[in-house]
């Protein structure tokens, strides 16, 4: 490496928003260590890939990115594979992609500078490992590193890491270990910093947000945290909570969400299935009465609640009858947003003995049927928005086919970033602002409309105001 010039790193973040937060934390440490960030892999001294190892397609993508970087890597560059794939498969990752210089486990992201220093002093080409043998044993040693990932006027804030649930299909507890909650004071300090930076939306994330502070003995941890947040960050317009575990949304949480406008009326509750027998085989809460009761309670307490869920089709033993129960449930509940995954066989999970008996074509066909149903429901739900005025957080500029008009693109409270829909705003609007938009058009997943009036004009550092 060149001694006189400032060293640089190039970081590729794969997978979910929780991984993005770990990537941002590593980037922060590298910047504090004197490195600059480079958008070009060939310009950088250190290449970091924060991998995903959750399910088959995500693993393949991680291997592909690592392979591409190895193929173009110079001998004076270090390639580090961090994150879930490295934690889960260890040396196997290097066997499959020879040329990787170091592996960093999921809860060892804070070792990034140490690992780079060791690579700089390394006497042999042998790769170096920073992998806790058991992710569950790793405690809190995050120091002062921010646990946020900012995207325009929104920011993800990680409140906990790991998961203690027993879901049979899921590799996350194997990779991440059990739940470790971050202290309330650290979370609030970061929320205050985001407010000072002009952030309009804070999105709380964890593998299971409803489990926050459970291991610290708090039974109503999330509700307590939400109340503290609304008191601390009164200027943040929207606080969104992702990943609510079924059975763990309490009456107190519903009460707190109903009471504070800042806690936007959006519930993301991954249910995974609706047939009790499938849910039992998944080792998930199978009490569908609770689901119906809780959704009714939430819809009664929180007007205009936007509901999001995710489901798995083709789980081992899923019969046509079980699948149809799921279809009927989706027809009945009419979710606003829905994610559907086909079952991915993951060795080492407790579902491993069940194998992967549902043929891929059956999985794909069930997914297609479910998505077709949801597309109709989503379109009808969107059509019901026409004529309403929704606050929309403007995030960019785009175009509507066949129109030369300027168009701004944003999200309403009904849309979490990357996973939900968009609102196209005819006539344009300034990026980084929340503007009231009269909805005039509905598509299956997106809406369109025009700005009524502009209010709350705040210029965000680093964001340009168009107009
Ligand atoms: S709640 Fe279940 S599906 Fe979600 S991360 Fe934990 S074990 Fe996996």
């Amino acid at each position: 490496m060149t001694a006189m010039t400032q060293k640089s790193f190039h970081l590729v973040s794969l997978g979910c928003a929780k991984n993005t937060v770990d990537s941002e934390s590593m980037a922060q440490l590298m910047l504090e260590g004197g490195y600059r960030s480079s958008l070009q892999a060939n310009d950088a001294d250190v290449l970091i890939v924060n991998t995903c190892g959750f399910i088959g397609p995500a693993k393949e993508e991680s291997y592909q990115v690592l392979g591409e970087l190895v193929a173009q890597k110079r001998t004076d560059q270090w390639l580090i594979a961090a994150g879930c794939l490295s934690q889960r498969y260890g040396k196997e990752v290097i066997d499959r992609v020879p040329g990787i210089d170091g592996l960093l486990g999921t809860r060892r992201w804070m070792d990034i500078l140490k690992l780079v220093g060791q690579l700089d002093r390394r006497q042999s080409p042998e790769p170096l490992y920073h992998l806790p043998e058991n992710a569950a044993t790793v405690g809190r040693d995050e120091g002062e590193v921010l646990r946020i990932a900012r995207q325009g006027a929104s920011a993800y804030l990680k409140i906990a890491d790991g998961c203690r649930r027993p879901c049979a299909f899921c590799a996350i507890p194997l990779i991440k270990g059990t739940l470790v909650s971050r202290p309330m004071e650290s979370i609030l300090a970061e929320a205050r910093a985001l407010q000072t930076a002009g952030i309009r939306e804070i999105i709380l994330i964890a593998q299971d947000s409803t489990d926050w502070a459970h291991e610290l003995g708090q039974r109503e941890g999330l509700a307590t945290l939400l109340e503290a947040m609304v008191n601390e960050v009164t200027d943040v317009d929207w606080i969104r909570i992702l990943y609510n575990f079924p059975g763990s949304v309490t009456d107190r949480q519903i009460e707190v969400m109903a009471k504070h406008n800042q806690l936007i009326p959006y519930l993301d509750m991954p249910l995974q299935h609706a047939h009790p027998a499938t849910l039992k085989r998944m080792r998930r809460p199978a009490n569908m009465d609770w689901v119906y009761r809780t959704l009714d309670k939430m819809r009664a307490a929180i007007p205009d609640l936007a509901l999001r869920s995710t489901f798995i089709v083709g789980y081992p033993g899923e019969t046509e009858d079980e699948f149809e129960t799921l279809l009927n449930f989706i027809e009945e509940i009419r979710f606003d947003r829905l994610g559907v995954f086909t079952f991915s066989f993951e060795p080492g999970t407790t579902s491993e003995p069940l194998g992967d008996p549902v043929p891929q074509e059956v999985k794909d066909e069930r997914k297609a049927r479910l998505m077709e149903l949801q597309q109709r429901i989503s379109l009808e739900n969107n059509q019901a928005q026409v004529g309403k005025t929704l606050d929309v957080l403007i995030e960019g500029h785009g175009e509507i086919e066949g129109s030369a008009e300027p168009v701004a693109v944003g999200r309403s409270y009904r849309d979490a970033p990357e996973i939900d829909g968009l609102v196209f705003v005819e006539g344009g609007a300034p990026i980084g602002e929340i503007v009231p938009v009269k909805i005039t058009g509905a598509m299956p997943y997106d809406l369109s409309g025009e700005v009524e009036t502009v209010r709350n004009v705040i210029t965000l550092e680093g964001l340009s105001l168009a107009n």
Side-chain angles (χ1 to χ4, degrees):
M1 295 186 204
T2 321
M4 299 302 288
T5 53
Q6 188 184 16
K7 291 180 183 175
S8 64
F9 69 96
H10 173 77
L11 196 155
V12 182
S13 188
L14 302 172
C16 63
K18 289 151 284 193
N19 227 28
T20 313
V21 170
D22 292 349
S23 301
E24 292 286 322
S25 297
M26 280 193 281
Q28 189 196 333
L29 287 171
M30 291 296 283
L31 293 168
E32 284 169 11
Y35 286 76
R36 69 180 168 78
S37 166
S38 169
L39 291 176
Q40 303 298 331
N42 57 0
D43 284 348
D45 300 281
V46 181
L47 309 170
I48 305 165
V49 182
N50 200 14
T51 59
C52 179
F54 181 40
I55 53 173
K59 285 186 270 187
E60 283 316 306
E61 186 189 15
S62 296
Y63 278 123
Q64 191 190 331
V65 172
L66 288 166
E68 283 166 10
L69 287 172
V70 159
Q72 55 178 263
K73 186 169 86 82
R74 299 188 310 270
T75 51
D76 62 347
Q77 287 179 308
W78 310 141
L79 173 59
I80 295 171
C84 295
L85 188 80
S86 304
Q87 179 68 49
R88 190 169 178 195
Y89 294 103
K91 189 174 170 303
E92 264 182 73
V93 176
I94 294 184
D95 291 344
R96 188 154 160 194
V97 188
I100 294 172
D101 298 286
L103 290 188
L104 201 56
T106 46
R107 287 198 177 166
R108 298 289 0 136
W109 53 262
M110 65 290 286
D111 290 355
I112 185 72
L113 275 173
K114 199 192 286 180
L115 175 54
V116 172
Q118 289 166 341
L119 288 169
D120 285 341
R121 295 189 299 277
R122 184 172 58 158
Q123 301 293 329
S124 84
E126 282 304 302
L128 301 180
Y129 299 88
H130 278 239
L131 297 174
E133 274 185 16
N134 176 2
T137 61
V138 181
R140 301 177 183 83
D141 56 355
E142 297 173 353
E144 296 302 310
V145 187
L146 293 175
R147 303 295 283 135
I148 59 175
R150 183 176 161 170
Q151 289 179 2
S154 288
Y156 293 103
L157 201 171
K158 202 170 192 177
I159 61 173
D161 216 349
C163 185
R164 70 185 177 102
R165 306 292 184 189
C167 310
F169 53 82
C170 183
I172 290 291
L174 298 172
I175 300 169
K176 293 269 187 179
T178 193
L179 175 101
V180 178
S181 300
R182 301 186 59 227
M184 177 169 326
E185 204 29 64
S186 307
I187 297 169
L188 294 180
E190 283 169 12
R192 286 192 295 270
L194 291 170
Q195 173 176 255
T196 306
I199 285 291
R200 313 301 298 266
E201 177 186 36
I202 292 179
I203 305 164
L204 302 180
I205 54 169
Q207 263 74 31
D208 172 6
S209 299
T210 44
D211 211 22
W212 181 80
H214 178 276
E215 86 281 26
L216 307 175
Q218 288 198 37
R219 288 183 54 211
E220 291 287 358
L222 182 61
T224 311
L225 177 65
L226 292 175
E227 288 231 284
M229 294 250 337
V230 292
N231 289 330
E232 288 280 331
V233 290
T234 48
D235 290 343
V236 173
D237 303 75
W238 295 351
I239 298 171
R240 188 187 297 275
I241 314 137
L242 296 184
Y243 315 114
N244 293 272
F245 194 74
S248 296
V249 174
T250 63
D251 287 353
R252 179 92 188 100
Q253 179 184 341
I254 298 173
E255 210 177 282
V256 172
M257 285 179 72
K259 187 170 159 199
H260 301 282
N261 288 341
Q262 261 175 296
L263 302 172
I264 50 175
Y266 177 96
L267 181 77
D268 166 46
M269 186 159 65
L271 289 166
Q272 311 302 4
H273 214 279
H275 195 292
T278 328
L279 286 165
K280 276 186 191 140
R281 288 197 305 281
M282 287 178 163
R283 301 197 188 185
R284 299 267 303 177
N287 182 350
M288 290 306 292
D289 286 346
W290 181 93
V291 173
Y292 282 108
R293 261 199 331 273
T294 305
L295 295 183
D296 279 353
K297 234 188 272 179
M298 289 201 77
R299 280 179 158 156
I302 306 172
D304 298 321
L305 181 73
L307 271 180
R308 177 183 174 79
S309 194
T310 49
F311 294 93
I312 295 172
V313 293
Y315 188 76
E318 186 193 51
T319 60
E320 182 59 25
D321 182 54
E322 290 177 6
F323 174 67
E324 279 177 18
T325 302
L326 174 58
L327 279 182
N328 292 338
F329 172 74
I330 284 166
E331 177 82 79
E332 194 180 348
I333 299 295
R334 301 179 63 78
F335 291 93
D336 296 273
R337 309 295 184 202
L338 206 84
V340 184
F341 298 91
T342 53
F343 171 70
S344 167
F345 175 79
E346 293 303 320
T349 58
T350 48
S351 74
E352 184 175 355
L354 301 178
D356 190 8
V358 180
Q360 190 58 44
E361 56 273 21
V362 175
K363 291 180 189 171
D364 292 340
E365 186 257 347
R366 287 180 182 168
K367 180 178 176 180
R369 278 162 71 194
L370 207 156
M371 287 314 295
E372 194 185 329
L373 166 65
Q374 178 58 24
Q375 200 169 19
R376 172 175 60 74
I377 295 170
S378 178
L379 177 62
E380 287 165 4
N381 287 349
N382 274 357
Q383 283 165 338
Q385 303 297 316
V386 174
K388 291 185 184 172
T389 298
L390 297 178
D391 281 347
V392 174
L393 173 55
I394 303 297
E395 297 188 307
H397 294 136
E399 41 187 65
I400 293 184
E401 227 177 273
S403 164
E405 281 279 294
V407 175
V409 185
R411 293 179 290 110
S412 76
Y413 77 91
R414 300 171 72 242
D415 311 301
E418 288 160 28
I419 49 176
D420 294 331
L422 297 170
V423 183
F424 295 91
V425 184
E426 290 160 35
I431 293 174
E433 287 183 27
I434 291 177
V435 297
V437 174
K438 177 93 181 252
I439 302 302
T440 54
M443 294 157 268
Y445 301 112
D446 304 323
L447 294 170
S448 60
E450 47 202 43
V451 179
E452 283 203 330
T453 53
V454 177
R455 63 189 183 202
N456 291 342
V457 177
I458 293 180
T459 308
L460 292 170
E461 194 192 340
L463 294 173
S464 62
L465 278 178
N467 231 357

